[in-house]
Amino acid sequence: TFVSTVSFASELTQEEVDERRFQFHGVALFGGTDIFSKGIKIATRSDYSHVGALIHDADADVDDISSWYCFESTGSGCEVLKGHLPHVRVTPWANVVADYSGSVTTRLLGFDDGYEPNADAVTRFVRNFNGRAYEGDIGELFASIRDSNTEADLDTVFCSELTAEMFMELGYMERGTSGNGLSNNWLPAEFSAARNANQYIAHAALRDEVDVKVHRPGRLVRFGRWLRKTLSGLSCTSCTTAEMA
């Protein structure tokens, strides 16, 4: 989606991105409440309208939440009015959760022994795409719903295209010439537990969904619960694909 409540000022600058090394840990799924997000959820028959990659500073303590970020292609109407067009960005995870007006869910990755992400490769990917414009071809967006894009086009990228491309670039998904072999045929919903993305992932698997923030009238399930349920287990990051299935 190109609708977000994350402020432009909270994202890392290019200089800050270039100063850091990153590691890849999973995906964040978002269920927006605005009219555009609702349209995406209806069109894709899903509770989710947006997806981003969960990364953290590879040289920092993984249990330190201030070292975690969301890597995503997004933007907001307010930003457009200020002259900031939707684009790929790295934003502190705590800011993303606090500022987002809808629901936030995570799926951390478990990796087969010896197949943990290479931090240098993750860092190159993040630096290469950071600041890239959000998808400029509306036809490509609509084609992704029907799984009918026939060639990759990474000049501009939408949220799930960026996330799928990251999996492919790091060697966890196989590239192809059609269907899910093309990153621009992936939807946010396809990273959810309901769609079984793990059938396309090699040497790793997405774990169960964990609600970080649940949007309900008058009630929010907030950040501390997510920290207790997930970060405490990150010391054991290696597991077999069979264990994750």
Side-chain angles (χ1 to χ4, degrees), residues 14-42:
Q14 185 63 54
E15 181 180 2
E16 289 172 326
V17 170
D18 291 341
E19 289 173 349
R20 288 168 172 77
R21 295 173 64 250
F22 297 101
Q23 186 53 284
F24 181 37
H25 282 289
V27 300
L29 292 156
F30 300 84
T33 58
D34 58 88
I35 189 170
F36 298 103
S37 297
K38 289 177 180 178
I40 292 170
K41 290 190 285 187
I42 291 170

Side-chain angles (χ1 to χ4, degrees), residues 12 14 46 67 79 120 127 134 137 194 209 216 223 236:
L12 297 188
Q14 185 63 54
S46 171
S67 70
E79 291 178 4
D120 290 336
R127 291 176 180 174
Y134 185 85
D137 183 351
E209 294 180 0
R216 298 191 184 102
F223 208 29
C236 300

Side-chain angles (χ1 to χ4, degrees), residues 24-27 54 106-113 115-117 167 171-173 186 190-193 196-209 234 236-245:
F24 181 37
H25 282 289
V27 300
L54 279 173
T106 61
R107 296 191 74 189
L108 296 179
L109 278 162
F111 300 95
D112 291 351
D113 290 338
Y115 287 94
E116 294 79 8
F167 273 89
Y172 297 114
M173 285 183 183
W186 280 78
E190 291 180 284
F191 291 95
S192 68
N196 192 22
N198 284 332
Q199 64 183 306
Y200 300 103
I201 298 174
H203 306 301
L206 289 165
R207 296 176 176 175
D208 292 340
E209 294 180 0
L234 280 174
C236 300
T237 57
S238 297
C239 58
T240 65
T241 302
E243 290 172 335
M244 291 296 97

Side-chain angles (χ1 to χ4, degrees), residues 100-143:
Y100 196 72
S101 61
S103 298
V104 183
T105 299
T106 61
R107 296 191 74 189
L108 296 179
L109 278 162
F111 300 95
D112 291 351
D113 290 338
Y115 287 94
E116 294 79 8
N118 180 289
D120 290 336
V122 175
T123 301
R124 283 194 300 272
F125 185 88
V126 171
R127 291 176 180 174
N128 182 39
F129 278 88
N130 187 57
R132 192 166 302 196
Y134 185 85
E135 183 58 58
D137 183 351
I138 191 69
E140 188 174 333
L141 286 169
F142 281 114

Side-chain angles (χ1 to χ4, degrees), residues 63-86:
D63 293 322
D64 178 5
I65 196 61
S66 68
S67 70
W68 282 66
Y69 302 92
C70 187
F71 180 54
E72 57 183 334
S73 183
T74 189
S76 71
C78 292
E79 291 178 4
V80 172
L81 292 175
K82 295 177 182 178
H84 304 302
L85 297 179

